Amino acid sequence: MLLPVRTKFRKMHRGRMRGMATRGAELSFGEFGLQAMECSLVTDRQIEAARLSLVSAIHKKGKMWIRIFPDKPITKKPAETRMGSGKGDVDHWAAVIKPGRILFEMSGITEEEARRVTRLASFKLPVRTRFLSRGS
């Protein structure tokens, strides 16, 4: 699973997910991409599941880039614990996704193949997505 090697602080505030993505909103590496259409937290497991579906579909024909990284710690308190006694321990890591953010990019495959592959990957993610190509 993806997680940062080290962080300055162990726990983080949840924050607010408002507005459009200002960074990472344009294709930079590949010809085709998968773009988020709504706000969400995408966990490290969801990113890995989408990555596996992309890799298995692309095989060794094309190249793929992951444009998101889970750097926000999500905490959770144990089951059947009384209220209070501080914030819970880190349970998993997530990436904050805003509308317009490019999640994955790929190149070296045809457009029909890229559409089929991104559709498979989008089933693994909790956000509505759309297909992007360099021409459009």
Coordinates of all heavy atoms in Angstrom, one line a residue, residues 23-99:
R23 N -3.9 22.5 -9.0 CA -2.7 21.7 -9.4 C -3.1 20.4 -9.9 O -4.1 19.8 -9.5 CB -1.7 21.5 -8.2 CG -1.1 22.8 -7.7 CD -0.5 22.5 -6.4 NE 0.1 23.7 -5.9 CZ 1.4 23.9 -5.8 NH1 2.2 23.0 -6.1 NH2 1.8 25.1 -5.3
G24 N -2.4 19.8 -10.8 CA -2.6 18.5 -11.3 C -3.9 18.4 -12.1 O -4.6 17.3 -12.1
A25 N -4.3 19.4 -12.8 CA -5.6 19.4 -13.5 C -5.4 19.3 -15.0 O -6.4 19.4 -15.7 CB -6.4 20.7 -13.1
E26 N -4.2 19.1 -15.5 CA -4.0 19.0 -16.9 C -3.1 17.8 -17.2 O -2.3 17.4 -16.3 CB -3.3 20.3 -17.4 CG -4.2 21.5 -17.5 CD -3.4 22.8 -17.4 OE1 -2.2 22.8 -17.5 OE2 -4.1 23.8 -17.1
L27 N -3.2 17.2 -18.3 CA -2.4 16.1 -18.7 C -0.9 16.6 -18.9 O -0.7 17.5 -19.6 CB -2.9 15.5 -20.1 CG -4.2 14.8 -20.0 CD1 -4.6 14.4 -21.4 CD2 -4.1 13.5 -19.2
S28 N 0.0 15.9 -18.2 CA 1.4 16.3 -18.2 C 2.3 15.2 -18.8 O 3.3 15.6 -19.5 CB 1.9 16.5 -16.8 OG 1.1 17.6 -16.2
F29 N 2.0 14.0 -18.6 CA 2.9 12.9 -19.1 C 2.3 12.1 -20.2 O 3.1 11.8 -21.2 CB 3.2 12.0 -17.9 CG 3.7 12.7 -16.7 CD1 2.9 13.0 -15.6 CD2 5.0 13.2 -16.7 CE1 3.4 13.6 -14.5 CE2 5.5 13.9 -15.6 CZ 4.7 14.1 -14.5
G30 N 1.1 11.7 -20.1 CA 0.5 10.7 -21.1 C -0.4 11.4 -22.1 O -0.6 12.6 -22.1
E31 N -0.9 10.6 -23.0 CA -1.9 11.0 -24.0 C -3.3 11.0 -23.5 O -4.1 11.8 -24.0 CB -1.8 10.1 -25.3 CG -0.4 10.1 -25.9 CD -0.3 8.9 -26.9 OE1 -1.3 8.6 -27.5 OE2 0.8 8.4 -27.0
F32 N -3.6 10.1 -22.6 CA -5.0 9.9 -22.1 C -4.9 9.9 -20.6 O -3.9 9.6 -19.9 CB -5.5 8.5 -22.5 CG -5.4 8.3 -24.0 CD1 -4.5 7.4 -24.5 CD2 -6.1 9.0 -24.9 CE1 -4.3 7.1 -25.8 CE2 -6.0 8.8 -26.3 CZ -5.1 7.8 -26.7
G33 N -6.1 10.3 -20.0 CA -6.1 10.5 -18.5 C -7.5 10.2 -18.0 O -8.5 10.2 -18.7
L34 N -7.5 10.0 -16.6 CA -8.8 9.8 -15.9 C -8.9 11.0 -14.9 O -8.0 11.2 -14.1 CB -8.7 8.5 -15.1 CG -10.0 8.0 -14.5 CD1 -11.1 7.7 -15.5 CD2 -9.7 6.8 -13.6
Q35 N -9.9 11.8 -15.1 CA -10.1 13.0 -14.3 C -11.3 12.9 -13.4 O -12.3 12.4 -13.7 CB -10.3 14.2 -15.3 CG -10.4 15.6 -14.6 CD -10.6 16.7 -15.6 OE1 -11.4 16.5 -16.6 NE2 -9.9 17.8 -15.4
A36 N -11.1 13.4 -12.1 CA -12.1 13.4 -11.1 C -13.2 14.5 -11.4 O -12.8 15.6 -11.8 CB -11.6 13.5 -9.7
M37 N -14.4 14.2 -11.1 CA -15.5 15.2 -11.4 C -16.1 15.7 -10.0 O -17.0 16.6 -10.1 CB -16.6 14.6 -12.2 CG -16.1 14.1 -13.6 SD -15.6 15.4 -14.6 CE -17.1 16.3 -14.9
E38 N -15.7 15.1 -8.9 CA -16.3 15.5 -7.6 C -15.2 15.4 -6.5 O -14.2 14.7 -6.7 CB -17.5 14.7 -7.3 CG -17.3 13.2 -7.3 CD -18.6 12.5 -7.2 OE1 -19.7 13.0 -7.5 OE2 -18.6 11.3 -6.9
C39 N -15.5 15.9 -5.3 CA -14.6 15.8 -4.2 C -14.7 14.5 -3.5 O -15.8 13.9 -3.4 CB -14.9 16.9 -3.2 SG -14.6 18.6 -3.7
S40 N -13.6 14.0 -3.0 CA -13.7 12.8 -2.2 C -12.3 12.5 -1.6 O -11.3 13.1 -2.0 CB -14.1 11.6 -3.1 OG -14.1 10.4 -2.3
L41 N -12.3 11.6 -0.6 CA -11.0 11.1 -0.1 C -10.9 9.7 -0.8 O -11.7 8.8 -0.7 CB -11.1 10.9 1.4 CG -11.0 12.2 2.2 CD1 -11.2 11.9 3.7 CD2 -9.7 12.9 2.1
V42 N -9.7 9.5 -1.4 CA -9.4 8.2 -2.1 C -8.4 7.5 -1.2 O -7.3 8.1 -1.0 CB -9.0 8.4 -3.5 CG1 -8.7 7.1 -4.2 CG2 -10.0 9.1 -4.3
T43 N -8.7 6.3 -0.7 CA -7.8 5.6 0.2 C -6.7 4.9 -0.6 O -6.8 4.8 -1.8 CB -8.5 4.6 1.0 OG1 -9.0 3.5 0.1 CG2 -9.7 5.2 1.8
D44 N -5.6 4.6 0.1 CA -4.5 3.9 -0.5 C -4.9 2.5 -1.1 O -4.4 2.2 -2.2 CB -3.4 3.6 0.5 CG -3.9 3.0 1.8 OD1 -5.1 2.8 2.0 OD2 -3.0 2.6 2.6
R45 N -5.9 1.9 -0.6 CA -6.4 0.6 -1.1 C -7.1 0.8 -2.4 O -7.0 0.0 -3.3 CB -7.3 -0.1 -0.1 CG -6.5 -0.7 1.1 CD -7.5 -1.1 2.2 NE -6.8 -1.5 3.3 CZ -6.6 -2.8 3.7 NH1 -7.1 -3.8 2.9 NH2 -5.9 -3.1 4.7
Q46 N -7.9 1.9 -2.5 CA -8.6 2.2 -3.7 C -7.7 2.5 -4.9 O -7.9 2.1 -6.0 CB -9.6 3.3 -3.5 CG -10.8 2.9 -2.6 CD -11.5 4.0 -2.0 OE1 -11.1 5.2 -2.0 NE2 -12.7 3.8 -1.5
I47 N -6.6 3.3 -4.5 CA -5.7 3.7 -5.6 C -5.0 2.4 -6.1 O -4.8 2.2 -7.3 CB -4.6 4.7 -5.0 CG1 -5.3 6.0 -4.6 CG2 -3.5 4.9 -6.0 CD1 -4.4 6.9 -3.9
E48 N -4.6 1.5 -5.1 CA -3.9 0.3 -5.5 C -4.8 -0.6 -6.4 O -4.4 -1.2 -7.3 CB -3.5 -0.5 -4.3 CG -2.7 -1.8 -4.5 CD -1.4 -1.6 -5.2 OE1 -0.9 -0.4 -5.3 OE2 -0.8 -2.6 -5.6
A49 N -6.1 -0.7 -6.0 CA -7.0 -1.5 -6.8 C -7.2 -1.0 -8.2 O -7.2 -1.7 -9.2 CB -8.4 -1.6 -6.1
A50 N -7.3 0.3 -8.3 CA -7.4 1.0 -9.7 C -6.1 0.8 -10.5 O -6.2 0.5 -11.7 CB -7.7 2.5 -9.5
R51 N -5.0 0.9 -9.8 CA -3.7 0.7 -10.4 C -3.6 -0.8 -11.0 O -3.2 -1.0 -12.1 CB -2.5 0.9 -9.5 CG -1.2 0.8 -10.1 CD -0.1 0.8 -9.1 NE 0.0 -0.4 -8.3 CZ 0.6 -1.5 -8.8 NH1 1.1 -1.6 -10.0 NH2 0.6 -2.6 -8.1
L52 N -4.0 -1.7 -10.2 CA -3.9 -3.1 -10.6 C -4.8 -3.4 -11.8 O -4.4 -4.1 -12.7 CB -4.3 -4.1 -9.5 CG -3.2 -4.3 -8.4 CD1 -3.8 -5.1 -7.2 CD2 -2.0 -4.9 -8.9
S53 N -6.0 -2.8 -11.8 CA -6.9 -3.0 -13.0 C -6.3 -2.4 -14.2 O -6.4 -2.9 -15.3 CB -8.3 -2.5 -12.7 OG -8.3 -1.1 -12.6
L54 N -5.6 -1.2 -14.1 CA -5.0 -0.5 -15.2 C -3.8 -1.4 -15.7 O -3.7 -1.6 -17.0 CB -4.5 0.9 -14.8 CG -5.6 1.9 -14.7 CD1 -4.9 3.2 -14.1 CD2 -6.2 2.3 -16.0
V55 N -3.0 -1.8 -14.8 CA -1.8 -2.6 -15.2 C -2.2 -3.9 -15.9 O -1.6 -4.3 -16.9 CB -0.9 -2.9 -14.0 CG1 0.2 -3.9 -14.3 CG2 -0.3 -1.6 -13.5
S56 N -3.2 -4.6 -15.4 CA -3.6 -5.9 -16.0 C -4.2 -5.7 -17.4 O -4.1 -6.5 -18.2 CB -4.5 -6.6 -15.1 OG -5.8 -5.9 -15.0
A57 N -4.9 -4.5 -17.6 CA -5.5 -4.3 -18.9 C -4.5 -3.7 -19.9 O -4.6 -4.0 -21.1 CB -6.6 -3.3 -18.7
I58 N -3.5 -2.9 -19.5 CA -2.6 -2.3 -20.4 C -1.5 -3.4 -20.8 O -1.0 -3.4 -21.9 CB -1.9 -1.1 -19.8 CG1 -2.9 0.1 -19.7 CG2 -0.7 -0.7 -20.6 CD1 -2.3 1.3 -19.0
H59 N -1.2 -4.3 -19.9 CA -0.1 -5.3 -20.1 C 1.2 -4.6 -20.2 O 1.5 -3.7 -19.4 CB -0.4 -6.2 -21.2 CG -1.7 -7.0 -21.1 ND1 -1.9 -7.9 -20.1 CD2 -2.9 -7.0 -21.8 CE1 -3.1 -8.4 -20.2 NE2 -3.7 -7.8 -21.2
K60 N 1.9 -5.0 -21.2 CA 3.2 -4.3 -21.4 C 3.2 -3.4 -22.7 O 4.3 -3.0 -23.2 CB 4.3 -5.3 -21.6 CG 4.5 -6.1 -20.3 CD 5.6 -7.1 -20.4 CE 5.7 -7.9 -19.1 NZ 6.8 -8.9 -19.1
K61 N 2.1 -3.1 -23.1 CA 1.9 -2.3 -24.4 C 2.2 -0.8 -24.1 O 2.8 -0.1 -24.9 CB 0.6 -2.4 -25.0 CG 0.4 -3.8 -25.6 CD -1.0 -3.9 -26.2 CE -2.0 -4.3 -25.2 NZ -3.3 -4.6 -25.6
G62 N 1.6 -0.3 -23.0 CA 1.7 1.2 -22.8 C 2.4 1.5 -21.5 O 2.9 0.7 -20.8
K63 N 2.4 2.8 -21.1 CA 3.0 3.3 -19.9 C 1.9 4.0 -19.1 O 1.0 4.6 -19.7 CB 4.1 4.2 -20.2 CG 4.9 4.7 -19.0 CD 6.2 5.2 -19.4 CE 7.0 5.9 -18.3 NZ 7.1 5.1 -17.1
M64 N 2.0 3.9 -17.8 CA 1.0 4.5 -16.9 C 1.6 5.4 -15.8 O 2.7 5.0 -15.3 CB 0.2 3.4 -16.3 CG -1.0 3.9 -15.4 SD -1.7 2.7 -14.3 CE -0.3 2.4 -13.3
W65 N 1.0 6.5 -15.4 CA 1.4 7.3 -14.4 C 0.3 7.5 -13.4 O -0.8 7.7 -13.7 CB 1.8 8.7 -14.9 CG 3.0 8.7 -15.8 CD1 4.3 8.9 -15.4 CD2 3.1 8.6 -17.2 NE1 5.1 8.9 -16.5 CE2 4.4 8.7 -17.6 CE3 2.1 8.3 -18.2 CZ2 4.8 8.5 -18.9 CZ3 2.5 8.2 -19.5 CH2 3.8 8.3 -19.8
I66 N 0.7 7.4 -12.1 CA -0.3 7.7 -11.0 C 0.0 9.1 -10.5 O 1.1 9.4 -10.1 CB -0.1 6.7 -9.8 CG1 -0.2 5.3 -10.3 CG2 -1.1 7.0 -8.7 CD1 0.2 4.2 -9.2
R67 N -1.1 9.9 -10.6 CA -0.9 11.4 -10.3 C -1.3 11.8 -8.9 O -1.4 12.9 -8.6 CB -1.6 12.2 -11.4 CG -1.1 12.1 -12.8 CD 0.1 12.8 -13.1 NE 0.1 14.2 -12.6 CZ -0.4 15.2 -13.4 NH1 -0.8 15.0 -14.6 NH2 -0.3 16.4 -12.9
I68 N -1.8 10.8 -8.1 CA -2.2 11.1 -6.8 C -1.4 10.3 -5.8 O -0.9 9.2 -6.1 CB -3.7 10.9 -6.6 CG1 -4.1 9.5 -7.0 CG2 -4.5 11.9 -7.4 CD1 -5.6 9.1 -6.8
F69 N -1.3 10.8 -4.6 CA -0.6 10.1 -3.5 C -1.3 10.3 -2.2 O -1.7 11.4 -1.8 CB 0.9 10.6 -3.4 CG 1.7 9.8 -2.4 CD1 2.2 8.6 -2.9 CD2 1.9 10.2 -1.1 CE1 3.0 7.8 -2.0 CE2 2.6 9.5 -0.3 CZ 3.2 8.2 -0.7
P70 N -1.6 9.2 -1.5 CA -2.3 9.3 -0.2 C -1.3 9.8 0.9 O -0.5 9.1 1.5 CB -2.7 7.9 0.1 CG -1.7 7.0 -0.6 CD -1.3 7.8 -1.8
D71 N -1.5 11.1 1.3 CA -0.6 11.7 2.2 C -1.3 12.2 3.5 O -0.7 12.8 4.3 CB 0.2 12.8 1.6 CG -0.6 13.9 0.9 OD1 -1.9 13.7 0.9 OD2 -0.1 14.9 0.5
K72 N -2.6 12.0 3.5 CA -3.4 12.4 4.7 C -3.7 11.3 5.6 O -4.4 10.3 5.1 CB -4.7 13.1 4.2 CG -5.6 13.6 5.4 CD -6.9 14.2 4.9 CE -6.8 15.6 4.5 NZ -6.6 16.5 5.7
P73 N -3.3 11.3 6.9 CA -3.6 10.2 7.8 C -5.1 10.3 8.2 O -5.6 11.3 8.6 CB -2.7 10.4 8.9 CG -2.3 11.8 8.9 CD -2.5 12.3 7.5
I74 N -5.8 9.1 8.2 CA -7.2 9.0 8.6 C -7.2 8.2 9.9 O -6.7 7.1 9.9 CB -8.1 8.4 7.6 CG1 -7.9 9.1 6.2 CG2 -9.5 8.3 8.0 CD1 -8.4 10.5 6.2
T75 N -7.7 8.8 11.0 CA -7.6 8.1 12.3 C -9.0 7.4 12.6 O -10.0 7.8 12.0 CB -7.3 9.1 13.4 OG1 -8.3 10.1 13.4 CG2 -5.9 9.7 13.2
K76 N -8.9 6.5 13.5 CA -10.1 5.8 13.9 C -9.9 5.2 15.3 O -8.9 4.7 15.6 CB -10.4 4.6 12.9 CG -11.7 4.0 13.1 CD -12.0 3.0 12.0 CE -13.4 2.5 12.1 NZ -13.8 1.4 11.2
K77 N -11.0 5.4 16.1 CA -10.9 4.9 17.4 C -11.4 3.4 17.4 O -12.2 3.0 16.6 CB -11.8 5.7 18.4 CG -11.3 7.1 18.5 CD -12.0 7.9 19.5 CE -11.5 7.5 20.9 NZ -11.5 8.7 21.8
P78 N -10.9 2.6 18.3 CA -11.3 1.2 18.4 C -12.8 1.0 18.7 O -13.4 1.9 19.2 CB -10.5 0.6 19.5 CG -9.4 1.6 19.9 CD -9.9 2.9 19.4
A79 N -13.3 -0.1 18.3 CA -14.7 -0.4 18.6 C -15.0 -0.5 20.1 O -14.1 -1.0 20.8 CB -15.1 -1.7 17.9
E80 N -16.2 -0.1 20.5 CA -16.6 -0.2 21.9 C -15.7 0.5 22.8 O -15.3 0.1 23.9 CB -16.7 -1.7 22.3 CG -17.7 -2.5 21.5 CD -17.7 -3.9 21.8 OE1 -17.1 -4.3 22.9 OE2 -18.3 -4.7 21.1
T81 N -15.3 1.7 22.4 CA -14.4 2.6 23.2 C -15.3 3.8 23.6 O -16.1 4.3 22.9 CB -13.2 3.1 22.4 OG1 -12.5 2.0 21.9 CG2 -12.3 3.9 23.3
R82 N -15.1 4.2 24.9 CA -15.9 5.4 25.4 C -15.4 6.7 24.8 O -14.3 6.7 24.3 CB -15.8 5.4 26.9 CG -16.5 4.3 27.6 CD -16.5 4.5 29.1 NE -17.2 3.4 29.8 CZ -17.5 3.5 31.0 NH1 -17.2 4.5 31.8 NH2 -18.2 2.5 31.6
M83 N -16.3 7.7 24.8 CA -16.0 9.0 24.2 C -14.9 9.6 25.0 O -14.7 9.3 26.2 CB -17.2 9.9 24.2 CG -18.4 9.4 23.4 SD -17.8 9.2 21.7 CE -18.6 10.6 21.0
G84 N -14.1 10.5 24.4 CA -13.0 11.2 25.0 C -11.7 10.4 24.8 O -11.6 9.6 23.9
S85 N -10.8 10.7 25.7 CA -9.5 10.1 25.7 C -8.7 10.3 24.4 O -8.0 9.4 24.0 CB -9.5 8.6 26.1 OG -10.1 7.8 25.1
G86 N -8.9 11.4 23.8 CA -8.1 11.8 22.7 C -8.4 11.3 21.3 O -9.4 10.5 21.1
K87 N -7.7 11.7 20.3 CA -7.9 11.3 18.9 C -7.4 9.8 18.8 O -6.4 9.4 19.4 CB -7.1 12.2 18.0 CG -7.5 12.2 16.6 CD -6.8 13.4 15.9 CE -6.9 13.3 14.4 NZ -8.2 13.7 13.9
G88 N -8.0 9.1 17.9 CA -7.7 7.7 17.7 C -6.3 7.6 16.9 O -5.7 8.5 16.5
D89 N -5.9 6.3 16.8 CA -4.7 6.0 16.1 C -4.9 6.1 14.5 O -6.0 5.9 14.1 CB -4.2 4.6 16.4 CG -3.7 4.6 17.9 OD1 -3.2 5.6 18.4 OD2 -3.9 3.5 18.5
V90 N -3.8 6.2 13.8 CA -3.9 6.3 12.3 C -4.4 4.9 11.8 O -3.8 3.9 12.1 CB -2.6 6.7 11.7 CG1 -2.6 6.6 10.2 CG2 -2.2 8.1 12.1
D91 N -5.5 4.9 11.1 CA -6.0 3.7 10.5 C -5.6 3.4 9.1 O -5.2 2.3 8.8 CB -7.6 3.8 10.6 CG -8.3 2.5 10.1 OD1 -7.9 1.4 10.6 OD2 -9.1 2.6 9.2
H92 N -5.6 4.5 8.3 CA -5.2 4.3 6.9 C -4.8 5.7 6.3 O -4.9 6.7 7.0 CB -6.2 3.7 6.0 CG -7.5 4.4 5.9 ND1 -8.5 4.2 6.9 CD2 -8.0 5.3 5.1 CE1 -9.5 5.0 6.6 NE2 -9.2 5.7 5.5
W93 N -4.3 5.7 5.1 CA -3.9 7.0 4.5 C -4.8 7.3 3.3 O -5.3 6.3 2.6 CB -2.5 6.9 4.0 CG -1.5 6.8 5.1 CD1 -1.2 5.6 5.8 CD2 -0.8 7.8 5.8 NE1 -0.3 5.9 6.8 CE2 -0.1 7.2 6.8 CE3 -0.7 9.2 5.6 CZ2 0.7 8.0 7.7 CZ3 0.1 9.9 6.4 CH2 0.8 9.3 7.4
A94 N -5.1 8.5 3.0 CA -6.0 8.9 1.9 C -5.4 10.1 1.1 O -4.6 10.9 1.7 CB -7.4 9.2 2.4
A95 N -5.9 10.2 -0.1 CA -5.5 11.4 -0.9 C -6.8 12.3 -1.1 O -7.9 11.7 -1.3 CB -5.1 10.9 -2.3
V96 N -6.6 13.6 -0.9 CA -7.7 14.5 -1.1 C -7.9 14.8 -2.6 O -7.0 15.3 -3.2 CB -7.5 15.8 -0.3 CG1 -8.6 16.8 -0.5 CG2 -7.3 15.5 1.2
I97 N -9.1 14.5 -3.1 CA -9.3 14.7 -4.5 C -10.4 15.8 -4.7 O -11.4 15.7 -4.1 CB -9.9 13.4 -5.2 CG1 -8.9 12.2 -4.9 CG2 -10.1 13.6 -6.6 CD1 -7.5 12.4 -5.5
K98 N -10.1 16.7 -5.5 CA -11.0 17.8 -5.9 C -11.4 17.7 -7.3 O -10.7 17.1 -8.1 CB -10.4 19.2 -5.6 CG -10.1 19.4 -4.1 CD -9.6 20.8 -3.9 CE -9.4 21.1 -2.4 NZ -9.0 22.5 -2.2
P99 N -12.5 18.3 -7.7 CA -12.9 18.2 -9.1 C -11.9 18.8 -10.1 O -11.3 19.8 -9.8 CB -14.2 19.1 -9.2 CG -14.7 19.2 -7.8 CD -13.5 19.0 -6.9

